[in-house]
Amino acid sequence: MNGSTAFFLVFSALIALVGLLAAATAHDYLQFFGVALFAFGVLFGYGCIKRHFDAREAKAH
């Protein structure tokens, strides 16, 4: 895992954490924004992990 992948994994975890905190403390439409931010962070992290393992598998073949 290179440095940029590790950075983006940590960055996506922070985005998800901020989204969770926003959803927990906000009211009305900002609560939806927090949930959407959390979902973006989780999906972005999943994409980074998937991209890493796809590249690793392609390198092995």
Side-chain angles (χ1 to χ4, degrees):
M1 182 179 301
N2 58 11
S4 66
T5 302
F7 170 77
F8 282 115
L9 279 175
V10 171
F11 187 63
S12 65
L14 287 175
I15 289 173
L17 181 64
V18 168
L20 268 180
L21 292 174
T25 60
H27 300 287
D28 299 333
Y29 64 93
L30 286 177
Q31 194 171 22
F32 174 73
F33 176 74
V35 172
L37 196 61
F38 172 73
F40 174 76
V42 169
L43 292 175
F44 187 70
Y46 172 75
C48 288
I49 292 170
K50 184 179 181 319
R51 193 176 323 123
H52 168 71
F53 282 107
D54 286 347
R56 192 169 154 188
E57 183 180 342
K59 192 177 183 181
H61 290 201

